[in-house]
């Protein structure tokens, strides 16, 4: 169909969430506005107004229950947790009871009272330094907007009807996100990489961009859009030339996906015969099944903290054991690397929500530091992991290590967890290798000490880049400075790989760089043979592996690592990536 151009062409840039490219018409969701008209009531109108608010809250409670009861079987696990979080906000006395008090004391309408309370509550959240807590302010706005809608008598679901379209919104409540499978993709103004929206979109693998800032204001219903979830760009009212280019890219992507499927059962081995292990990163236990089907040789990173978020009580030993066991069984004998709790910084436990927020949370009581400060909680997790290891090969991975004494302390607690299980006669895995994440420059610079103490190392490039370049990985304002190819970052990665190989210990990369096929040859040339990434990238990276000759790459990468001039590094990288592209195209 020939597109009708109703808006001059422009583009918006945000944070890419992935999922590919989609072309379609816009469906702009009503913003979650909390502005309401203030109406003074007669005294005899006050109690009916209170009842009206209570009825609207009940209607929203019912709406959430219906959504929860109709969750598709394949809805991500976070969905239920997110609905729970919204139910808690809905029932929070600081919202509902305070709004009722306001109606009575100030004799005002329910809309005004609720919007006021929600605004105040959301602002309190938004003042937190911590990105995760700040984003919870948005949850308050979303639930209040839902009650306001119910007050106006409208409960129609915004995504439940109409032709499939690209959803554009200032924000989308998690409950609405569950309908996303009917949408072609979505572009959202708010949210960073840790927002609920981004977390859900990633696990659903839907084309998405967040942090677009003003898309909902600038885009109109039915505008034609190109949403590039990989580059994080939204083209509005594209002209024929751009549309033709992206249609071509879409078709090429599709063709490529089909071609890549042929590699599913091909062993990952370089041209010069070096076997390469391609593993998957998961956030939730049942994703291990998908990872297995996508051909992952194991789970290189199970971010266990996702079991702990969005809940008022921490998961106990049995609950954790069941979750880890599910992940282990899903991999049918292939190893599962469970990372111990990495909370703090941008991932705060709800149970800690009231505690003092550190000035620099990313440099504060995070990950292993937090676990060592909470030994009972840490021991509970360690016992659960050791128990799950009775069902298949499990490896333990400790995040954010910087000091030798942290390793020693963690190893002592692992030993204690083992003896606690043995004393109780509870079965556990006999051999659970313990590894450390290298994600702090101090750890990379002393990687040989880490390699001596631990069974394996895994480079977390996401944090290594953040801490090396002093760039908050969640901050949009400086995201252009977040450079995985900065010579300092490359040196630290190479140094870690060298140290592990010298100590004859396995080393992997499990940060986003491992899934970036543009970096595959670089990492192979540094001597890396274990990569862990989102399942969706496995085959693309495998193709790079199949077309690479490590013997030829090594001297080129050694020369590249000797460069510190950005332009020279960039051109050496480009040559590395492009060498033999003709062969790639024929493969
Ligand atoms: C990393 O830092 O690279 C990593 C894999 O851990 P996370 O992204 O969970 O911090
Ligand atoms: Mg990390």
């Amino acid at each position: 169909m020939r597109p009708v151009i109703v808006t001059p062409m422009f583009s918006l840039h945000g944070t890419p969430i992935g999922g590919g490219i989609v072309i379609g018409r816009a469906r702009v969701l009503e913003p979650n506005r909390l502005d309401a008209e203030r109406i003074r009531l007669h005294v005899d109108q006050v109690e009916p107004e209170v009842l009206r608010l209570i009825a609207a809250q009940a209607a929203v409670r019912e709406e959430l229950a219906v959504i929860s009861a109709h969750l598709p079987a394949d809805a991500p696990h976070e969905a239920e947790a997110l609905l729970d979080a919204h139910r808690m906000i809905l029932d929070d006395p600081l919202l509902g009871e305070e709004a009722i008090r306001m109606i009575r004391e100030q004799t005002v309408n329910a809309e005004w009272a609720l919007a006021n309370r929600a605004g105040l509550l959301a602002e309190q959240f938004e003042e937190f330094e911590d990105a995760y807590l700040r984003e919870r302010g948005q949850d308050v706005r979303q639930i209040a907007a839902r009650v306001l809608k119910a007050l106006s008598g409208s409960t129609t679901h915004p995504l439940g009807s109409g032709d499939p379209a690209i959803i554009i919104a200032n924000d989308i409540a998690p409950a609405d996100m569950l309908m996303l499978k009917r949408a072609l993709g979505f572009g959202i103004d708010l949210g960073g990489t840790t927002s609920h929206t981004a977390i859900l979109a990633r696990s659903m693998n839907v084309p998405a961009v967040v942090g677009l800032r003003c898309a909902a204001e600038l885009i109109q219903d039915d505008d034609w859009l190109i949403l590039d979830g990989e580059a994080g760009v939204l083209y509005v009212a594209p002209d024929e030339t751009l549309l033709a280019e992206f249609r071509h890219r879409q078709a090429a992507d599709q063709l490529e996906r089909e071609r890549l499927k042929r590699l599913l059962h091909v062993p990952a081995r370089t041209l010069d015969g070096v076997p390469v292990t391609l593993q998957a990163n998961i956030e939730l236990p049942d994703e291990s099944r998908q990872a297995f089907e996508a051909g992952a040789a194991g789970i290189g990173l199970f971010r266990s903290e996702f079991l702990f978020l969005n809940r008022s009580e921490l998961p106990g030993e049995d609950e954790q054991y069941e979750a880890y066991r599910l992940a282990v069984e899903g991999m049918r004998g292939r190893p599962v690397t469970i990372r111990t709790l990495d909370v703090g910084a941008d991932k705060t436990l709800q149970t800690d929500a009231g505690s003092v927020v550190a000035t620099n949370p990313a440099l504060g009581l995070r990950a292993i530091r937090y676990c060592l400060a909470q030994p009972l909680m840490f021991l509970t997790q360690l016992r659960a992991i050791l128990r799950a290891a009775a069902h298949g090969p499990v490896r333990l991975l400790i995040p954010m290590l910087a000091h030798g004494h942290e390793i020693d302390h963690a190893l002592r607690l692992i030993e204690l967890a083992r003896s606690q299980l043995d004393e109780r006669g509870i079965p556990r895995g006999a051999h659970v290798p313990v590894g450390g994440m290298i994600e702090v420059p101090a750890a990379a610079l002393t990687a040989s000490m880490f390699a001596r103490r631990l069974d394996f190392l895994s480079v977390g490039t996401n944090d290594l880049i953040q801490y090396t370049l002093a760039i908050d990985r969640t901050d949009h304002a400086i995201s252009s400075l977040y450079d995985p190819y900065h010579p300092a970052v490359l040196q630290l990665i190479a140094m870690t790989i060298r140290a592990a190989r010298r100590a004859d210990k396995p080393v992997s990369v499990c940060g986003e760089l491992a899934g970036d096929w543009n970096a595959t040859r670089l990492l192979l040339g540094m001597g890396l043979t274990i990569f862990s990434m989102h399942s969706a990238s496995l085959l693309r990276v495998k193709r790079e592996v199949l077309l690479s000759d490590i013997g030829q790459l090594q001297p080129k990468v050694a020369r590249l690592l000797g460069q510190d001039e950005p332009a020279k590094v960039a051109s050496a990288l480009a040559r590395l990536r492009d060498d033999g592209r003709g062969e790639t195209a024929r493969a």
Side-chain angles (χ1 to χ4, degrees):
M1 192 198 299
R2 193 183 160 76
V4 180
I5 309 287
V6 292
T7 307
M9 176 167 141
F10 61 95
S11 63
L12 297 169
H13 295 246
T15 305
I17 300 299
I21 292 168
V22 66
I23 300 174
R25 289 211 189 251
R27 175 99 186 275
V28 186
L29 297 191
E30 272 176 44
N32 285 337
R33 285 202 202 292
L34 292 186
D35 37 290
E37 198 187 346
R38 186 176 198 270
I39 301 173
R40 280 300 290 272
L41 304 175
H42 286 131
V43 177
D44 55 358
Q45 290 175 310
V46 166
E47 285 314 308
E49 192 66 1
V50 168
L51 290 179
R52 204 166 69 85
L53 178 57
I54 292 172
Q57 285 175 297
V60 171
R61 209 169 287 120
E62 178 64 18
E63 229 178 286
L64 294 177
V66 169
I67 293 171
S68 173
H70 290 89
L71 277 181
D74 57 349
H77 262 191
E78 300 101 317
E80 193 50 60
L82 299 183
L83 286 170
D84 276 347
H86 272 204
R87 273 187 216 112
M88 276 174 53
I89 293 170
L90 182 65
D91 292 333
D92 190 333
L94 288 176
L95 186 65
E97 283 179 19
E98 284 298 305
I100 290 173
R101 199 174 55 82
M102 210 167 160
I103 297 173
R104 289 189 173 131
E105 284 178 4
Q106 301 181 19
T107 61
V108 287
N109 55 324
E111 285 87 348
W112 172 260
L114 184 85
N116 241 280
R117 285 307 309 163
L120 272 174
L121 208 57
E123 273 167 24
Q124 283 168 6
F125 272 108
E126 284 155 6
E127 273 166 16
F128 280 108
E129 286 242 356
D130 180 288
Y132 182 84
L133 282 180
R134 271 204 309 274
E135 280 159 8
R136 302 296 70 78
Q138 212 34 47
D139 291 343
V140 173
R141 291 181 192 281
Q142 288 167 348
I143 204 71
R146 210 173 255 280
V147 178
L148 286 180
K149 237 185 236 168
L151 280 168
S152 75
S154 147
T155 52
T156 49
H157 202 286
L159 303 181
S161 57
D163 294 334
I166 298 176
I167 303 300
I168 299 298
N170 182 252
D171 192 16
I172 298 186
D176 293 330
M177 283 283 293
L178 302 174
M179 308 295 280
L180 259 178
K181 290 204 168 149
R182 304 186 55 175
L184 297 176
F186 70 100
I188 305 204
D189 287 343
L190 299 179
T193 45
T194 61
S195 61
H196 282 149
T197 312
I199 292 170
L200 274 175
R202 229 180 259 119
S203 57
M204 287 172 167
N205 203 14
V206 175
V209 181
V210 299
L212 286 165
R213 290 157 207 249
C214 49
E217 225 171 277
L218 298 176
I219 295 170
Q220 299 171 31
D221 263 343
D222 288 333
D223 276 352
W224 275 91
L225 302 176
I226 299 172
L227 181 74
D228 186 342
E230 306 302 325
V233 186
L234 180 66
Y235 299 91
V236 185
D239 61 19
E240 290 287 6
T241 319
L242 200 64
L243 273 169
E245 183 192 324
F246 273 87
R247 281 193 181 120
H248 182 72
R249 275 167 63 175
Q250 249 188 331
D253 278 0
Q254 185 54 33
L255 194 68
E256 171 158 303
R257 268 195 294 278
E258 292 304 318
R259 277 173 151 199
L260 283 173
K261 278 190 198 153
R262 292 187 225 147
L263 301 182
L264 189 62
H265 300 293
V266 175
R269 195 178 281 275
T270 60
L271 287 173
D272 47 347
V274 180
V276 174
T277 307
L278 301 179
Q279 302 175 327
N281 292 354
I282 60 170
E283 274 82 46
L284 291 166
D286 61 352
E287 288 168 11
S288 74
R289 245 179 324 126
Q290 275 160 262
F292 182 90
E293 277 153 23
I299 300 298
L301 173 67
F302 174 4
R303 292 181 162 100
S304 70
E305 58 274 10
F306 279 81
L307 293 171
F308 291 67
L309 301 180
N310 283 325
R311 47 191 297 166
S312 47
E313 278 177 22
L314 298 182
E317 181 180 324
D318 286 346
E319 183 184 340
Q320 288 189 57
Y321 159 64
E322 290 301 338
Y324 304 143
R325 188 166 76 131
L326 187 66
V328 170
E329 288 175 349
M331 284 311 282
R332 302 185 217 170
R334 296 180 190 173
V336 175
T337 311
I338 304 176
R339 178 174 74 183
T340 57
L341 192 63
D342 180 3
V343 284
D346 55 347
K347 289 176 281 191
T348 308
L349 296 180
Q350 207 151 299
T351 43
D352 286 346
S355 61
V356 177
V357 177
T359 320
N360 286 307
L363 305 181
L365 198 60
R366 187 191 156 180
I368 187 62
R369 303 170 183 181
Y370 184 92
C371 289
L372 295 180
Q374 305 271 352
L376 293 182
M377 184 213 63
F378 192 37
L379 280 166
T380 304
Q381 179 173 42
L382 293 173
R383 285 193 302 271
I385 296 174
L386 294 171
R387 283 170 64 186
H391 301 273
V394 166
R395 305 170 345 136
L396 248 161
L397 181 59
I398 316 281
M400 271 285 287
L401 290 162
H403 302 270
H405 60 78
E406 288 170 332
I407 305 176
D408 299 339
H409 194 165
L411 291 176
R412 279 198 301 276
L413 287 172
I414 294 168
E415 209 32 63
L416 179 59
R418 277 197 190 104
S419 54
Q420 287 175 339
L421 290 174
D422 292 348
E423 273 164 28
R424 293 174 206 166
I426 299 174
R428 63 168 172 88
H431 177 61
V432 177
V434 180
M437 289 197 69
I438 304 296
E439 40 190 356
V440 177
L445 290 164
T446 54
S448 10
M449 179 269 287
F450 281 72
R452 273 197 304 277
R453 282 172 157 76
L454 293 158
D455 297 316
F456 65 97
L457 304 183
S458 189
V459 187
T461 47
N462 306 342
D463 276 313
L464 188 60
I465 298 163
Q466 152 163 280
Y467 293 125
T468 305
L469 302 181
I471 301 297
D472 181 341
R473 59 193 264 201
T474 65
D475 190 341
H476 288 305
I478 44 168
S479 59
S480 62
L481 299 175
Y482 186 89
D483 178 10
Y485 299 103
H486 189 293
V489 173
L490 300 185
Q491 297 283 352
L492 292 171
I493 300 172
M495 208 176 254
T496 306
I497 295 170
R498 258 198 317 271
R501 286 174 66 99
R502 249 189 254 125
D504 205 17
K505 296 283 171 71
V507 57
S508 61
V509 170
C510 65
E512 295 303 303
L513 198 63
D516 177 356
W517 47 89
N518 290 310
T520 307
R521 290 178 171 195
L522 173 69
L523 294 171
L524 286 170
M526 288 182 188
L528 188 80
T529 55
I530 309 174
F531 296 63
S532 192
M533 65 203 79
H534 277 288
S535 299
S537 309
L538 280 165
L539 294 179
R540 189 66 185 78
V541 169
K542 189 191 273 190
R543 186 160 77 184
E544 288 302 304
V545 168
L546 296 174
L547 292 162
S548 298
D549 182 315
I550 294 190
Q552 283 182 17
L553 286 172
Q554 270 168 342
K556 292 181 188 169
V557 171
R559 275 198 299 280
L560 185 152
L561 290 171
Q563 295 289 351
D564 56 8
E565 264 307 320
K568 288 190 177 157
V569 174
S571 65
L573 272 169
R575 277 199 305 279
L576 203 63
R577 282 192 296 247
D578 296 342
D579 275 359
R581 278 300 123 172
E583 291 150 45
T584 308
R586 283 193 299 279

